[in-house]
Amino acid sequence: MPARGARLLAAVLTAGCLALVGPSTPSGALFAGSLPVQAARDVVANRAMTWNICNPCAGSNVHRAAEIAAHAPQVIGLQEACVRDVERIRAYLKSIHGLAYHVEYGPVLRSWGRCGGVPWNPGGFGQAILSAAPMTDRVSVEYPDGGSEDRGYLAVTTTVGGQSVRVFNTHLAQRRQEAVREDQTAVLAAEVARHERVIVLGDLNAVPTAPELARMWAQATDADPRCRPSSTGTCEPTTDWRSKFDYIFARGMVPLNNRVHPTPYSDHHLVRADLDTSRRDATADSVPGPG
């Protein structure tokens, strides 16, 4: 075949492939097996989700996206999140599940071991917030003492349940670092107290009765109604080692339900809650803030 004819044939085949795949299909989506493109759907406007996606862990981003899409939350807080992974998760959510999310990142370190990349430009690692609505007023803060690994929180303002809400996403110091977590919650709780309507998502690495969480309990309520800072509460565990470490704290709104969903793709379970953001609870009355 003449060279010109070969080039023409190649162009036709490429155009055909693009027409079938679409320019927004992420690399690897064609090999998702039993995950066909689904019809576009709406998110649940008053639903929040938190998930430590465990990096590095044996789990593909296409499956992580499917786990999130099964619940279609309005806002999502991811911990141990590599920027590259979150970008792929967002792409799969859109191309396979018809769910479009905005994203903000709060990386606390750059880690080649966790997130890959080239040695001189390793991937960002930390928190990420995905929201179906646009986000404003992003703040990313590293705690003065991260403990054995840098830790911090990410905060944005977005819309949940039709209301403007300040959303925090955090990951506190690892287990057996109680004093470090106490200092971290002091920083976080002071910022939470400035706002009337708040959702705090995160892996706090502490059970509800841990003394270092007292400041958080003073400012907000966990969405699980059975889970309170007393020994009489029965909290549903959120980790493979049967501990309650993952929280959806609500301030200035009323939690409607809380669900914990074990997943094979992380050692933390996926936690989601529906919230009535139009009704105020008592937590926002103690320290009035600008909202």
Side-chain angles (χ1 to χ4, degrees):
M1 180 183 295
R4 183 174 180 275
R7 289 195 298 269
L8 180 59
L9 177 60
V12 171
L13 291 174
T14 300
C17 289
L18 289 174
L20 290 171
V21 176
S24 63
T25 302
S27 176
L30 291 177
F31 306 100
S34 60
L35 295 172
V37 176
Q38 301 174 0
R41 58 177 297 191
D42 294 330
V43 298
V44 181
N46 66 332
R47 180 167 294 170
M49 174 183 291
T50 185
W51 191 16
N52 182 323
I53 59 176
C54 182
N55 251 310
C57 263
S60 72
N61 291 313
V62 71
H63 290 115
R64 288 167 171 165
E67 293 281 301
I68 293 170
H71 308 281
Q74 173 78 7
V75 66
I76 308 157
L78 299 177
Q79 303 88 43
E80 294 196 25
C82 295
V83 172
R84 291 181 180 88
D85 288 331
V86 176
E87 285 302 309
R88 293 186 179 106
I89 290 169
R90 286 180 68 223
Y92 288 129
L93 283 167
K94 185 174 182 180
S95 65
I96 297 176
H97 304 283
L99 295 170
Y101 286 99
H102 304 268
V103 65
E104 291 289 354
Y105 295 102
V108 292
L109 56 89
R110 305 193 70 81
S111 174
W112 183 87
R114 286 184 181 267
C115 299
V118 292
W120 56 90
N121 186 26
F125 174 81
Q127 287 73 246
I129 294 177
L130 278 63
S131 174
M135 292 175 277
T136 61
D137 304 319
R138 171 194 174 274
V139 174
S140 182
V141 174
E142 287 192 35
Y143 294 122
D145 183 0
S148 56
E149 181 179 83
D150 293 346
R151 296 289 163 91
Y153 72 79
L154 172 66
V156 301
T157 298
T158 190
T159 302
V160 180
Q163 303 289 331
S164 178
V165 177
R166 191 67 172 165
V167 178
F168 292 80
N169 182 21
T170 192
H171 189 188
L172 300 188
Q174 295 171 349
R175 288 175 289 177
R176 295 179 293 277
Q177 299 181 71
E178 292 84 355
V180 175
R181 288 196 298 273
E182 185 170 8
D183 291 342
Q184 292 171 348
T185 55
V187 173
L188 179 62
E191 187 61 28
V192 168
R194 297 181 56 246
H195 304 273
E196 292 181 1
R197 192 179 288 115
V198 177
I199 299 170
V200 181
L201 310 168
D203 172 7
L204 305 190
N205 270 317
V207 298
T209 56
E212 63 264 30
L213 299 190
R215 286 185 174 90
M216 281 304 305
W217 286 112
Q219 299 299 335
T221 301
D222 188 63
D224 185 349
R226 301 167 300 174
C227 195
R228 298 292 179 262
S230 67
S231 58
T232 59
T234 304
C235 300
E236 189 170 359
T238 66
T239 66
D240 287 354
W241 51 93
R242 306 294 296 170
S243 293
K244 160 79 173 180
F245 275 7
D246 303 271
Y247 297 78
I248 298 178
F249 276 109
R251 172 178 168 84
M253 63 191 73
V254 177
L256 300 176
N257 59 56
N258 184 84
R259 300 287 186 271
V260 177
H261 299 271
T263 166
Y265 308 113
S266 175
D267 55 359
H268 285 255
H269 305 339
L270 183 154
V271 183
R272 59 96 161 168
D274 295 340
L275 307 161
D276 188 343
T277 57
S278 65
R279 294 164 56 200
R280 287 169 53 89
D281 67 356
T283 56
D285 295 332
S286 57
V287 184

